[in-house]
């Protein structure tokens, strides 16, 4: 390790935080810290490295969801990351580093390469951009983690260089707000401040709990339309919005998915009827369908689940939603909308009934 020791350069304050967040991303599963943990750590930092990742969809929410799903499943990974070549943290970061961590061979090389980048730039310490570039240079678990999110290292590197083309993910611009809330780029405004803070800090993956996601999205849809009251037509929009966004982010929708996965059957049923978010949104903004009042208050349809009596096992990646029972999915919700003459049902009928000759 003499070569590593000669190259030792102290991390800046931002990178010290990344190293701490990497330990949290490991979720107490043991073993050395790998490149996937370092990459997840960068998503908690400030500055251009985090922004480059977030711009491509590699947010804290997205990366932690994949890591939780693959936790303790070495077979789920293709890249080995050199766990058998693990290195003591002090050999990489210097004797002054008081941590007892070990890094995989790939993680140690990335940290050393980051120090080299900083040295060539004349920087006093190495930072998050140096580390991100180093992680993207090898075929390691960090790059594989990006691939699981449908993101290439070239795209992230281009963002970091300021040469990204701003390519879109194919979603309608009408769904960008829903996507950004799923990815953790934005948060549901009607929630109390403490809940927004808690959900942001824990990286909630709403796609793994679609019924609860629809409940939050319903109020957001009504707000975007400037509605005076929230009705089941906004529930309908929320089911379609979350379903279509989830299809574009299977790495989030697939976290801890049951077999068979029936959580999105409500959206699938609406799709089979020929409905999509854009057409329903247009019908509501055009005001061309007259809707009678809902038979019941909105809370009759959006049931609020209660936490279980047994709290979840505390881990660094545990989320506030781990205390809730299994999510019922959107199937029962859509069934309840169609069983009565709700505003959603009236709208669906108007949009799916062939015009009279």
């Amino acid at each position: 390790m003499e070569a590593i020791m000669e190259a030792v350069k102290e991390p800046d304050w931002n990178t010290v935080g990344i190293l701490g967040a990497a330990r949290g991303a490991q979720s107490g599963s043991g073993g050395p810290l790998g490149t996937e943990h370092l990459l997840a750590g960068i998503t908690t930092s400030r500055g251009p490295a985090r922004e480059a990742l977030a711009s491509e969809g590699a947010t804290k929410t997205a990366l932690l969801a994949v890591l939780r799903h693959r936790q303790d499943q070495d077979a789920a990974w293709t890249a080995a990351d050199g766990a058998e070549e693990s290195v003591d943290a002090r050999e990489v970061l210097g004797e002054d580093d008081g941590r007892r961590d070990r890094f995989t061979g790939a993680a140690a090389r990335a940290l050393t390469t980051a120090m080299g980048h900083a040295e060539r730039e004349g920087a006093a310490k190495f930072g998050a951009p140096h580390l991100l570039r180093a992680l993207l240079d090898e075929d390691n678990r960090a790059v594989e983690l990006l691939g699981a999110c449908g993101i290439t290292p070239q795209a992230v590197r281009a963002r970091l260089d300021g040469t990204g083309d701003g390519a879109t993910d194919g979603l309608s611009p009408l769904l960008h707000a829903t996507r950004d809330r799923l990815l953790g780029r934005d948060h549901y405004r009607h929630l109390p401040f403490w809940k927004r803070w808690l959900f942001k800090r824990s990286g909630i993956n709403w796609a793994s709990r679609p019924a609860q996601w629809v409940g939050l999205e319903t109020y957001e849809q009504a707000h975007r339309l400037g509605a005076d009251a929230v009705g089941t037509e906004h529930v309908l929009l929320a089911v379609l919005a979350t379903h279509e966004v989830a299809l574009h982010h299977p790495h989030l929708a697939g976290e801890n998915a049951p077999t068979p996965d029936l959580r999105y059957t409500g959206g699938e049923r609406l799709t089979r009827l020929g409905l999509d978010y854009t057409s329903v949104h247009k019908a509501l903004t055009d005001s061309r369908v007259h809707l009678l009042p809902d038979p019941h208050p909105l809370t009759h349809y959006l049931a609020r689940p209660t936490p279980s009596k047994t709290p979840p096992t505390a881990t660094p990646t545990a989320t506030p939603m781990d205390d809730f029972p299994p999510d019922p999915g959107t199937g029962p919700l859509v069934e309840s909308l169609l069983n009565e003459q709700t505003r959603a049902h009236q709208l669906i009928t108007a949009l799916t009934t062939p015009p009279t000759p």
Side-chain angles (χ1 to χ4, degrees):
M1 285 296 158
E2 292 182 4
I4 289 180
M5 290 299 297
E6 290 174 2
V8 165
K9 208 175 232 320
E10 188 180 351
D12 63 17
W13 65 269
N14 202 20
T15 309
V16 170
I18 289 171
L19 295 173
R23 289 194 293 275
Q26 192 184 30
S27 189
S29 58
L33 293 174
T35 57
E36 71 273 32
H37 305 124
L38 293 175
L39 184 71
I42 293 175
T43 66
T44 68
S45 66
R46 295 183 179 181
R50 183 197 64 79
E51 291 165 7
L53 288 169
S55 295
E56 288 299 314
T59 61
K60 173 182 176 181
T61 297
L63 298 194
L64 287 185
V66 176
L67 287 178
R68 283 192 300 265
H69 191 63
R70 294 189 175 192
Q71 187 174 346
D72 301 324
Q73 298 182 50
D74 279 341
W77 296 92
T78 301
D81 226 55
E84 70 284 353
E85 306 165 3
S86 65
V87 179
D88 188 284
R90 288 168 295 185
E91 294 187 57
V92 183
L93 299 172
E95 292 297 332
D96 292 336
D97 186 83
R99 288 178 288 270
R100 297 182 179 275
D101 300 321
R102 294 189 69 82
F103 295 111
T104 64
R109 286 193 299 274
L111 287 162
T112 304
T113 300
M115 295 173 193
H117 289 329
E119 182 70 33
R120 285 189 291 275
E121 290 180 10
K125 300 180 179 182
F126 77 93
H130 302 124
L131 179 56
L132 179 55
R133 290 186 190 281
L135 289 171
L136 299 177
D137 282 346
E138 278 196 38
D139 184 14
N140 51 35
R141 285 193 177 182
V143 170
E144 186 175 341
L145 179 56
L146 288 175
C149 299
I151 301 165
T152 66
Q154 293 81 3
V156 175
R157 195 179 291 110
R159 292 281 189 179
L160 194 58
D161 293 339
T163 59
D165 59 8
T168 64
D169 55 11
L171 273 175
S172 163
L174 292 171
L175 292 170
H176 286 179
T178 305
R179 174 202 62 194
D180 288 345
R181 283 172 173 78
L182 171 62
L183 291 174
R185 293 171 176 161
D186 200 355
H187 303 280
Y188 287 103
R189 69 193 78 204
H190 75 279
L191 291 172
F193 172 79
W194 69 270
K195 281 191 176 181
R196 293 200 304 272
W197 177 85
L198 185 62
F199 290 154
K200 178 180 180 180
R201 189 169 185 271
S202 58
I204 290 291
N205 173 17
W206 293 115
S208 67
R209 306 194 69 87
Q212 293 176 47
W213 187 18
V214 166
L216 292 170
E217 186 65 26
T218 293
Y219 293 93
E220 194 63 32
Q221 292 293 329
H223 175 80
R224 288 178 215 155
L225 288 172
D228 295 328
V230 185
T232 57
E233 70 273 33
H234 304 117
V235 179
L236 175 63
L237 273 177
V239 172
L240 288 166
T242 55
H243 180 65
E244 292 177 29
V245 169
L247 287 175
H248 278 75
H249 296 83
H251 53 290
L252 289 169
E255 183 192 357
N256 296 326
T259 303
D261 188 1
L262 304 177
R263 296 171 304 162
Y264 283 89
T265 55
E268 293 167 2
R269 181 176 180 180
L270 295 174
T271 300
R272 288 195 300 271
L273 290 173
L275 299 170
D276 59 46
Y277 179 84
T278 301
S279 62
V280 175
H281 184 274
K282 186 175 187 302
L284 287 173
T285 53
D286 288 350
S287 302
R288 57 188 172 90
V289 181
H290 177 68
L291 301 175
L292 299 175
D294 283 313
H296 304 287
L298 188 68
T299 52
H300 175 83
Y301 305 98
L302 292 179
R304 297 183 181 276
T306 56
S308 61
K309 295 181 179 179
T310 304
T313 303
T315 66
T317 56
T319 74
M321 305 310 292
D322 292 340
D323 192 26
F324 284 81
D327 192 274
T330 58
L333 174 56
V334 169
E335 183 68 25
S336 70
L337 296 180
L338 295 176
N339 274 346
E340 299 178 321
Q341 281 302 308
T342 61
R343 291 169 68 85
H345 192 174
Q346 297 167 47
L347 183 57
I348 291 170
T349 301
L351 293 175
T352 58
T353 301
T356 303

